[in-house]
């Protein structure tokens, strides 16, 4: 297949077809994908009021602490990204550090985690769109058509090229962060409700009984930041852009979240914000922006929350497609899912499959008469969030294990100290989330137990799958999560050589058993 010389060179898929569009994404582009997946406006307007209600005016510090924890994790994570360049990202890191059986389990966990984080959000899309239309026009719409329309729209965005997606996310991200900056400007210009205060930073307000719940919400707000490494194959100078995008995303989210939550506290005052969050958590930010900027800004915020959700969906959709592509190229998933569009250079069949899966889940919840927010969003999103936290923990553990076995010039701080500290902090975060699961779901203890065990159960299913691959498909097992041109390519060459040898032997057998012409005929010839 010919490639236009006007386009950036693309990596080649194992099958010989055109690969992903390499050299398309810079640091800002990758950061757009990561920050968009976190959906800052949706997190602030939809979740931060609950953090204030439970943690009081010290809630902003919870977001800072979560950001610092993930920054420590990023130290070892980005260091390993310079040594492990497989398209499998998380599961490749874990495989190289902890072995193939654990890596196969991590691959399943990644699929469940990212799919859960995306598909559940179609319920949030339906809810926010319905609320926005009701607020602006007084109309009510059923939620299913909205979710299905979102599936088609996001499917198209994933079908197009990665640089198209980066441009779309850039615009949407500027819109959603811009409206929050507008709110901040209004509050700062008017000095807040009773003058600006730094009481939120005081230890007496930070270390309170509700701090654990705030931290659980805060860690959930960063979900998806680690997907920078997924775009390595499409990045310009990935040795630099991937680490830079990772640190930029963590720093921006941590500081921005903390700043905006502090702004919300100032908008109502230290002594009144908790009561305001309890009286109307869903309307807290809308009330604040109406008071300090104007009703027109509240209308814009309604619209931008919908676009924020769409941006998050597109970011997760692209991440899922690239995980599916990597697993298809390795033979774990059907190889057909590894096909790349000849013009857009997107993993379009993986995207179609993901869209179809999302439609099945959405239709199933609708058939069960489930609520799009209480069930579709919370029940599907929560196992996905736990799955990604478990992946982060496994990746942190994998870093020192990997560097202990290979020769390298990296420092001990990056390969041992930071990953070990990150693993301890992430384990704490998982305990906090599990201990406050009822705050995320609002469900019964039985449902919460099921939601908690989904991710670990999927991971454990990977262990017998790895055993089966080792016995039934040893060439796939041997090449799992290997570097490009490594064992996987060697196995492919060996397989081709074996097939060629078998063909040659079969030809020789046919020739040796074919009828021979009489000797007299040979002499006369």
């Amino acid at each position: 297949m010919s490639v236009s010389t006007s386009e950036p060179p693309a990596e080649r898929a194992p099958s010989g077809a055109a690969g992903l569009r390499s050299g398309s994404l810079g640091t800002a582009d990758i950061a757009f994908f990561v920050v968009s997946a976190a959906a800052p406006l949706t997190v602030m307007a939809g979740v931060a009021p609950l953090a204030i209600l439970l943690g009081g005016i010290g809630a902003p510090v919870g977001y800072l602490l979560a950001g610092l924890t993930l920054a420590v994790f990023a130290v070892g994570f980005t260091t390993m990204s310079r040594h492990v360049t497989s398209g499998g990202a998380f599961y490749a890191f874990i495989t190289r550090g902890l072995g193939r059986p654990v890596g196969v389990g991590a691959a399943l966990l990644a699929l469940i985690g990212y799919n859960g984080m995306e598909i559940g959000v179609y319920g949030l899309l339906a809810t926010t769109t319905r609320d926005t239309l009701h607020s602006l026009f007084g109309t009510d719409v059923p939620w299913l058509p909205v979710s299905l329309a979102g599936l088609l729209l996001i499917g198209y965005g994933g079908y197009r090229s990665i640089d198209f997606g980066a441009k779309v996310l850039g615009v949407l991200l500027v819109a959603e962060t811009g409206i929050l900056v507008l709110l901040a400007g209004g509050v700062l210009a008017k000095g807040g409700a009773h003058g600006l205060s730094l009481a939120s930073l005081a230890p007496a307000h930070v270390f309170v009984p509700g701090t654990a719940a705030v931290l659980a919400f805060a860690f959930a707000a960063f979900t998806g930041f680690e997907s920078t490494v997924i775009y390595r194959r499409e990045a310009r100078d990935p040795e630099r852009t991937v680490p830079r995008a990772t640190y930029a995303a963590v720093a921006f989210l941590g500081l921005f979240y903390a700043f905006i939550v502090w702004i919300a506290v100032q908008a109502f005052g230290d002594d009144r914000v908790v009561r305001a969050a309890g009286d109307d958590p869903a309307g807290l930010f809308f009330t604040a922006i109406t008071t300090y900027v104007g009703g027109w800004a509240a209308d814009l915020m309604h619209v931008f929350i919908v676009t924020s959700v769409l941006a998050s969906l597109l970011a997760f959709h692209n991440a899922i497609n690239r995980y599916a592509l990597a697993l298809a190229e390795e033979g774990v998933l059907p190889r057909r899912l590894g096909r790349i569009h000849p013009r857009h250079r997107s993993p379009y069949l993986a995207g179609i499959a993901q869209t179809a899966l999302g439609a099945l889940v959405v239709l199933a919840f609708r058939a069960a008469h489930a609520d799009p927010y209480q069930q579709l969003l919370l029940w599907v999103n929560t196992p996905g969030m736990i799955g990604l936290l478990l992946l982060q923990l496994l990746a942190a553990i994998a870093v020192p294990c990997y560097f202990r076995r290979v020769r390298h010039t990296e420092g001990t701080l990056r390969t041992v100290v930071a990953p070990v500290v990150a693993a301890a902090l992430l384990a704490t975060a998982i305990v906090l989330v599990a201990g406050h699961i009822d705050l995320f779901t609002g469900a019964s203890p039985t449902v919460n137990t099921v939601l908690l065990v989904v991710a670990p159960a999927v991971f454990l299913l990977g262990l017998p799958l790895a055993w089966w691959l080792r016995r039934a498909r040893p060439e796939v097992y041997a090449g799992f999560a290997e570097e490009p041109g490594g064992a996987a390519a060697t196995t492919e060459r060996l397989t081709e050589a074996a097939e060629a040898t078998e063909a040659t032997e079969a030809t020789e057998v046919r020739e040796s058993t074919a009828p021979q012409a009489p000797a007299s005929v040979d002499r006369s010839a």
Side-chain angles (χ1 to χ4, degrees):
M1 183 177 296
S2 63
V3 180
S4 171
T5 56
S6 64
E7 296 175 344
E11 293 188 14
R12 311 296 283 182
S15 62
L20 296 172
R21 193 187 296 276
S22 61
S24 298
L25 304 177
T27 300
D29 298 320
I30 298 175
F32 283 155
F33 277 101
V34 173
V35 177
S36 295
L41 177 56
T42 304
V43 167
M44 290 291 94
V47 180
L50 297 178
I52 294 173
L53 176 62
L54 296 170
I57 65 173
V61 178
Y63 290 90
L64 283 178
L65 293 175
L68 287 172
T69 297
L70 295 177
V72 174
F73 166 77
V75 172
F77 185 65
T78 55
T79 300
M80 198 163 181
S81 73
R82 295 198 292 267
H83 297 260
V84 180
T85 61
S86 166
F90 254 147
Y91 77 76
F93 288 17
I94 294 166
T95 299
R96 303 295 292 280
L98 302 178
R100 288 188 180 91
V102 178
V104 172
L108 296 184
L109 196 56
L111 288 177
I112 289 294
Y114 280 98
N115 271 290
M117 288 301 299
E118 191 215 10
I119 295 173
V121 176
Y122 284 108
L124 179 62
L125 175 65
T127 302
T128 55
T129 302
R130 186 174 60 189
D131 292 346
T132 296
L133 292 175
H134 183 81
S135 174
L136 298 181
F137 307 109
T139 58
D140 294 314
V141 296
W143 71 267
L144 181 61
V146 176
S147 294
L148 295 179
L151 278 159
L152 293 176
L153 184 61
I154 298 304
Y156 174 74
Y159 176 81
R160 291 292 300 272
S161 62
I162 191 68
D163 47 351
F164 170 83
K167 293 174 183 176
V168 171
L169 291 178
V171 172
L172 298 182
L173 183 61
V174 168
E176 66 175 301
T177 55
I179 196 68
L180 289 172
V181 170
L182 185 63
L183 167 63
V187 173
L188 292 175
K190 295 181 179 181
H194 310 294
L196 302 179
S197 166
L198 296 178
S200 293
L201 305 180
H205 294 133
V206 173
F207 300 104
V208 296
T211 299
V214 174
L215 288 172
F217 282 123
F219 278 107
F222 286 82
T223 304
F225 91 94
E226 73 292 326
S227 60
T228 50
V229 294
I230 298 174
Y231 301 103
R232 180 184 179 88
R233 293 167 62 177
E234 295 154 290
R236 293 192 296 270
D237 190 10
E239 299 294 332
R240 294 185 178 183
T241 53
V242 170
R244 287 175 179 175
T246 304
Y247 286 118
V250 172
F252 174 80
L253 289 174
L255 294 173
F256 190 70
Y257 283 155
F259 173 66
I260 295 300
V261 176
W262 177 78
I263 285 292
V265 173
Q266 304 313 302
F268 292 90
D270 294 342
D271 57 340
R272 297 183 59 187
V273 66
V274 174
R275 178 180 296 178
D279 292 340
D280 185 17
L284 187 75
F285 274 75
F286 296 100
T287 300
I289 201 167
T290 299
T291 302
Y292 288 92
V293 182
W296 63 270
D299 292 340
L300 274 182
M301 182 175 282
H302 275 292
V303 174
F304 289 160
I305 282 183
V306 176
T307 61
S308 170
V309 175
L310 286 171
S312 178
L313 285 167
L314 180 57
F316 275 114
H317 180 73
N318 278 299
I320 295 164
N321 294 349
R322 279 145 185 81
Y323 264 117
L325 171 67
L327 289 169
E329 288 176 342
E330 297 193 68
V332 177
L333 292 179
R335 291 191 182 275
R336 184 172 298 180
L337 295 179
R339 291 184 182 177
I340 294 174
H341 195 278
R343 183 160 66 94
H344 299 308
R345 307 290 179 82
S346 62
Y348 71 107
L349 285 185
I352 292 172
Q354 201 282 326
T355 300
L357 175 62
L360 286 175
V361 174
V362 168
L363 290 171
F365 272 79
R366 179 62 184 87
H369 303 287
D371 182 83
Y373 186 91
Q374 294 292 336
Q375 278 84 43
L376 177 54
L377 170 66
L378 299 180
W379 291 11
V380 177
N381 213 231
T382 300
M385 174 188 64
I386 294 171
L388 295 188
L389 285 173
L390 286 173
L391 279 174
Q392 292 174 8
L393 174 60
L394 290 171
I397 296 172
V399 173
C401 296
Y402 170 77
F403 283 108
R404 187 183 61 182
R405 297 201 306 263
V406 301
R407 300 180 65 181
H408 62 87
T409 58
E410 307 286 355
T412 302
L413 177 64
R414 303 179 67 87
T415 60
V416 179
V417 177
V420 170
V421 172
L425 294 174
L426 287 167
T428 302
I430 293 172
V431 172
L432 289 175
V433 170
H436 295 84
I437 191 71
D438 57 311
L439 298 178
F440 292 95
T441 66
S444 67
T446 301
V447 171
N448 287 335
T449 300
V450 172
L451 297 179
L452 279 174
V453 302
V454 167
V458 168
F459 169 74
L460 293 176
L461 283 176
L463 303 182
L465 175 59
W467 177 82
W468 177 83
L469 286 173
R470 184 175 183 179
R471 291 177 59 88
R473 304 179 66 188
E475 72 284 355
V476 172
Y477 184 81
F480 184 75
E482 287 293 333
E483 294 296 282
T490 302
T491 301
E492 184 175 351
R493 290 195 298 270
L494 291 174
T495 301
E496 293 174 350
E499 291 173 350
T501 301
E502 292 176 359
T504 301
E505 292 174 350
T507 301
E508 292 175 350
V509 170
R510 287 196 298 270
E511 291 176 350
S512 65
T513 57
Q516 300 294 319
S520 58
V521 175
D522 290 339
R523 286 193 298 270
S524 64

